[in-house]
Each structure stands twice: as structure tokens, then as C-alpha cells.
Amino acid sequence: MPKLHELTAKQTIQKIQDNEVTAQECVQAVFETIHKLEDKINAYVTLVEEEALNKAKEIDRKISDGKPVGKLAGVAIAVKDAICTQGILTTCSSRMLQNFVPPYDAEVIERIKREDGIIIGKTNMDEFAMGSSTETSYFGPTRNPWDTSRVPGGSSGGSAACIATNEATLALGTDTGGSIRCPASYCSVVGLKPTYGLVSRYGLIAYANSLEQIGPMTKDVYDCALFLSVIAGHDSKDGTSVNVEPKDYTKCLKNNAKGLKIGVPKEFFGEGTNEAVEKQVWNAIHKLEERGASHEETSLPNLEHSLATYYIIAMSEASSNLARYDGLRYGYRVDKDDGDWATVYSKNRRDGFGAEVRRRIILGTYALSAGYYNKYYLKALKVRTLIRENFTEAFKKFDVLIGPTMPFPPFKIGEKIQDPLALYMSDVDTVSTNLAGLPAISVPCGFTDGLPIGMQITAPPLREDLTLQAAYTFEQNTDYKTKKPAIN
Ligand code: GLN
């Protein structure tokens, strides 16, 4: 019998509704795990234990009074610290926002609350979501539960780690260039980046608006589908929100891949791909074939340019988005306001932002400046269109595209942080999805030397159902879901 903190969201909800356990007991069990493991993992920036337990009591009361409860009633949910939560510190893991308490909830938080989900805390991340290792956080790195000397991936490293350790039952991440899928892969949990526009970005602290989405990070594929059904849907407060009918994604989960046409782009297995990763992903593709799928190798030639294109666009947007943090209207302010406006402004920004964020602001500003705009930013936009066209062509022939989520297994803390380009290279298989606005899921597909490997399944716009269905079929026919890090 799994213990309460080990339950999936689906199991938790069932047990609470059947009166086998109370919401309060479930939330308490999760907090006990947090108190036991946080010293070793550092998944959280902020915890809201008292508020969470009060909310759990409220739900238990509703149930004992026979009143209806929401779809996530009693589930302990962790939220990446880039998403605004009313009355709860929201730092983006930056000194710049170390005291920022939002006066409002992001749309996704409102939706969770409407369904009686319980927010338990805010998770650690790379500063302003810039990174792939959760090492650039002002609050120190999060550690990988499978090997605490290694990174959990990033930038949603806290959200992935707390799912792997049962320090939360569901978590929200954000993905601008892989930040949900990378840590999901590195911590052996499920993570989905939705189609651009499917989930409202209202209340998400912006890094690169044209690329990012909020998405679910979960213990299994069913929970991923369930959580997506709650957070997805049109929101008039987000101008890029797609107007589609709400959907119950759990309905598309069938243990069957009959007729599924898989494309395997050779660009997803490029130079630097670890052999064990390559082997495990191929094994996974063959597993799907046993359940009725077929595969064909293919090529999306413009993907070769996706890293360069992504980093120019992401940094350009970041330089503009982060201009608002001057310490005067928002953010960290140095103690003494001596000197003129320009001096105070640059001191605030120099001390408020970490090195990686400053690097990106400078590079992004350069790429947008007169004389370089055409050469870099405009060119990147044109290549982005070509990348998108490659995907459109591929999806005329295939239902999904499959490859590794990350080219190599989790690396040591400190190993790559001094070499920004090496760190950027680790995003080679994830960023093209964001440039094209497509949905993609990372699902655990094996281990090498005890370190997790993830498979990435990409589908056409708004076909989250295809990614979920393929991931579910794979999960049902393997036992990676049951493997948990020894630290538990
Ligand atoms: N690693 C990528 C970057 O640093 C992606 C980050 C993200 O998705 N937020 O830009």
C-alpha cells in the first residue's frame, strides 16, 4: 500500500471522495516529507503550510456536509516561483523580486483554486527561468533526487524534484525553451509543454512571451491529462489565448497505439547525443510499435539552426521584458540612493540581477539595437518561420515526432555553469518546439547508471491528446513509473 504522500493525484482524489482519508491527512503527509527532505533537495523557495492545512480543513468540511467539491479536491500542488500567487511571495528566484508579494492570482492559480486544489508552496527555479539546471537561483541550487551531486534540470527544477520526492502531488512549471521537459526528464517525472496559447499566461512573470507556456509536471500521464484539463482554456486577459472548447484530456488515454505514425527526426539524435540515451529512446519507440504504432526516420533540416534562433529571440524578448525592473517602480533597490538617476538605476540592476540574467539582457539589447536588428533579430524571426514550416511538412506524414528530451543524462552541479554555451547546447532537442508553438511531453523511458532518461513526444498544434495517448500507452507497458529515487 502506498503511503499518503506517495499517491498520485488521481488516487488522492479517489481516497478523499471515498472517505478513506481526509484532505488534511494527505496534505500533512506531503508536508512531513517536505520537512524530512528539503535540507537535501531545496525544491522550495516558500512554503505556505498553515494556509494549505486550513484550505484542506475547508474541503473536508465541504465533503462531510455533503457539498460538491472540485476536480482537484485535496491535492497538494507546488507552483513555480515565476507564477503570481496572491499574498504569497513570488520571487522568480531572483534577488530583484525577493520581496515581491503579488496582489493578484495568475489565471492558472484561479483555475486550480476553483477546483479545490491546494497550493502548498513556490518552487525554486533558474533566475527568471533562464537556465537548464536550476543553478542560477538566488536561493541556491535544487539537487537531483536521484543523485544529489547532480542538477535536477531547469529551469523548473524545484517543480520536477518535488514531484520525484513526493514533496508535492502535482506541480506547475513553465517552458520557454524546455524548462518543463528538461527537468521532467532529469528527475524521471512527466512534464508537458502545451500548445502556445492553450494555457493562459496572465500572471506569469514574463521571460520571452512569444515562446513560453505554463504546464503540468506530474507523477504519471493520467495526472498530467487531469491537471491540463483544469488549467487549459480561453482567457480574455491573455491576448494570445486560443479560443477552444474546454476538454477532458483524461478521456483520450487508451492503452493502444494502433495506427500511430511516428516520425523520428535524425536532428533529435545529433552530435553529442549520449549512446545510452539514444538506445533507450529507440527501445521506447519499439515498445510503441508492439502496441500497433509504426515508425519512419525523417529529417527536419532547419532544426540545425534552432539553438541560435531560439537564443537570439529569447534574449531579445528578455531584454525588453526585464527593463521594468529598475528598483524605482519595481524590484530590489540598493540601500543608498547616492548619485544621479543613471547611477542608481545601474546599481539596482547590477546588484538585483545575477550574472546569467545580466548576460542575457546585454546580448538581447545588442541583438535589437540599430544596425544589428536586421542581422540578428529579424533574421532569427525568418528562420523561426522556416523551422515552423519543417514541422508543418512533417506532420502531413506523421502523427507525432519522437526523440530524446535531453541529449545526455543529468550532469554534476557546477560542471557546466562556468561555460554558458555548453549549458545552452543542452537545450538542442527542446527549443524547436517552442519556436514552432507545438505541444510536447517528456515521459520517463529508462535509466543509465541510475540516472533518468526522458522521451519527448511532439504533436501538431492543439493535439495534446496525441502526445498524452502515446505517452500513456508507453507508460502502461513499462514499469519506469514505479521507480522512485532512493532518497524517498
Ligand atoms: N534553457 C532555456 C533557456 O535558458 C530554456 C529556459 C526555459 O524554458 N525557461 O532559455
Side-chain angles (χ1 to χ4, degrees):
M1 263 300 277
K3 306 208 181 68
L4 288 185
H5 59 285
E6 293 168 352
L7 300 177
T8 63
K10 182 187 182 190
Q11 293 167 331
T12 307
I13 294 160
Q14 195 60 50
K15 283 196 185 297
I16 295 175
Q17 304 244 325
D18 293 348
N19 280 318
E20 272 181 53
V21 292
T22 63
Q24 220 184 316
E25 284 164 341
C26 292
V27 173
Q28 240 150 13
V30 171
F31 272 105
E32 275 163 27
T33 313
I34 293 175
H35 297 315
K36 196 174 101 199
L37 296 179
E38 259 308 85
D39 277 356
K40 292 183 203 134
I41 302 293
N42 194 30
Y44 285 94
V45 175
T46 303
L47 290 166
V48 285
E49 186 162 356
E50 205 184 314
E51 294 87 333
L53 287 170
N54 285 338
K55 175 75 192 169
K57 270 187 221 158
E58 206 180 284
I59 290 162
D60 288 333
R61 210 171 306 127
K62 268 202 218 172
I63 294 176
S64 61
D65 290 351
K67 292 197 185 125
V69 287
K71 286 195 195 82
L72 298 180
V75 179
I77 302 177
V79 176
K80 185 175 181 178
D81 215 15
I83 300 170
C84 285
T85 40
Q86 186 175 15
I88 306 174
L89 192 66
T90 300
T91 67
C92 255
S93 284
S94 179
R95 182 184 208 181
M96 187 54 95
L97 291 177
Q98 63 178 335
N99 296 320
F100 175 55
V101 179
Y104 70 103
D105 275 328
E107 172 67 17
V108 286
I109 302 296
E110 282 194 10
R111 286 178 190 240
I112 288 171
K113 287 184 173 171
R114 235 179 277 148
E115 296 297 343
D116 288 325
I118 300 179
I119 309 294
I120 60 169
K122 306 296 294 287
T123 57
N124 201 17
M125 54 185 278
D126 280 296
E127 186 179 7
F128 280 98
M130 297 176 186
S132 317
S133 63
T134 317
E135 289 170 286
T136 70
S137 166
Y138 178 61
F139 305 102
T142 296
R143 292 172 179 275
N144 191 315
W146 294 88
D147 174 350
T148 52
S149 70
R150 292 176 190 268
V151 304
S155 62
S156 314
S159 289
C162 73
I163 293 299
T165 53
N166 299 314
E167 288 182 80
T169 308
L170 295 174
L172 281 182
T174 70
D175 191 311
T176 312
S179 278
I180 287 176
R181 292 160 287 155
C182 157
S185 164
Y186 276 7
C187 293
S188 203
V189 303
V190 176
L192 175 94
K193 181 204 95 71
T195 305
Y196 186 75
L198 183 64
V199 177
S200 169
R201 287 180 299 108
Y202 177 77
L204 165 64
I205 298 177
Y207 158 21
N209 321 46
S210 81
L211 298 160
E212 58 210 6
Q213 275 289 288
I214 298 171
M217 304 184 74
T218 59
K219 295 181 183 182
D220 68 7
V221 178
Y222 183 95
D223 277 8
C224 185
L226 172 71
F227 202 10
L228 181 68
S229 310
V230 169
I231 60 171
H234 183 246
D235 175 20
S236 58
K237 299 190 292 310
D238 173 355
T240 59
S241 172
V242 186
N243 203 346
V244 286
E245 286 295 308
K247 202 163 162 174
D248 181 352
Y249 291 93
T250 61
K251 294 269 183 323
C252 66
L253 302 178
K254 295 185 187 72
N255 180 1
N256 190 347
K258 199 159 188 293
L260 184 78
K261 290 199 231 79
I262 302 171
V264 186
K266 70 173 197 292
E267 290 75 15
F268 285 162
F269 296 83
E271 200 188 319
T273 305
N274 171 288
E275 255 176 57
V277 169
E278 188 163 339
K279 189 161 152 259
Q280 279 307 112
V281 173
W282 272 109
N283 285 346
I285 292 167
H286 297 320
K287 199 63 173 174
L288 284 170
E289 287 184 313
E290 286 169 21
R291 301 294 302 153
S294 62
H295 91 267
E296 201 180 300
E297 290 184 47
T298 186
S299 172
L300 281 70
N302 294 319
L303 257 55
E304 184 193 333
H305 306 295
S306 43
L307 269 182
T309 309
Y310 168 80
Y311 272 99
I312 289 175
I313 294 174
M315 290 181 188
S316 300
E317 292 186 24
S319 74
S320 161
N321 278 322
L322 270 56
R324 74 191 71 174
Y325 305 106
D326 53 16
L328 304 173
R329 291 167 298 172
Y330 298 93
Y332 175 81
R333 186 165 184 160
V334 288
D335 282 347
K336 274 205 291 179
D337 277 0
D338 50 356
D340 56 11
W341 181 83
T343 315
V344 172
Y345 179 90
S346 40
K347 269 194 194 159
N348 288 344
R349 287 168 69 80
R350 185 198 56 208
D351 292 357
F353 289 131
E356 182 60 25
V357 173
R358 291 202 304 273
R359 175 182 296 117
R360 294 189 188 206
I361 292 173
I362 292 167
L363 289 172
T365 307
Y366 181 78
L368 289 176
S369 56
Y372 295 103
Y373 179 89
N374 286 351
K375 200 168 159 198
Y376 295 114
Y377 183 66
L378 199 59
K379 187 149 182 193
L381 291 187
K382 289 178 184 167
V383 181
R384 181 178 192 171
T385 303
L386 296 177
I387 291 170
R388 192 177 290 142
E389 282 170 5
N390 268 190
F391 276 109
T392 309
E393 273 310 302
F395 285 128
K396 284 186 186 152
K397 205 161 163 201
F398 303 110
D399 301 311
V400 293
L401 298 173
I402 291 186
T405 307
M406 298 301 287
F408 37 74
F411 43 91
K412 293 264 184 195
I413 292 176
E415 186 182 326
K416 290 186 193 286
I417 195 76
Q418 301 307 335
D419 183 357
L421 281 181
L423 207 49
Y424 300 169
M425 297 284 269
S426 65
D427 302 331
V428 63
D429 297 326
T430 50
V431 293
S432 54
T433 321
N434 302 72
L435 289 165
L438 304 171
I441 197 167
S442 180
V443 63
C445 78
F447 294 86
T448 171
D449 294 331
L451 299 172
I453 299 172
M455 158 166 70
Q456 175 172 241
I457 308 170
T458 309
L462 300 173
R463 294 308 307 272
E464 278 72 8
D465 58 321
L466 287 174
T467 68
L468 288 161
Q469 155 93 44
Y472 182 75
T473 303
F474 177 72
E475 185 189 73
Q476 293 300 304
N477 291 280
T478 52
D479 64 354
Y480 301 119
K481 172 180 156 178
T482 60
K483 302 240 183 317
K484 298 289 169 192
I487 198 164
N488 287 317

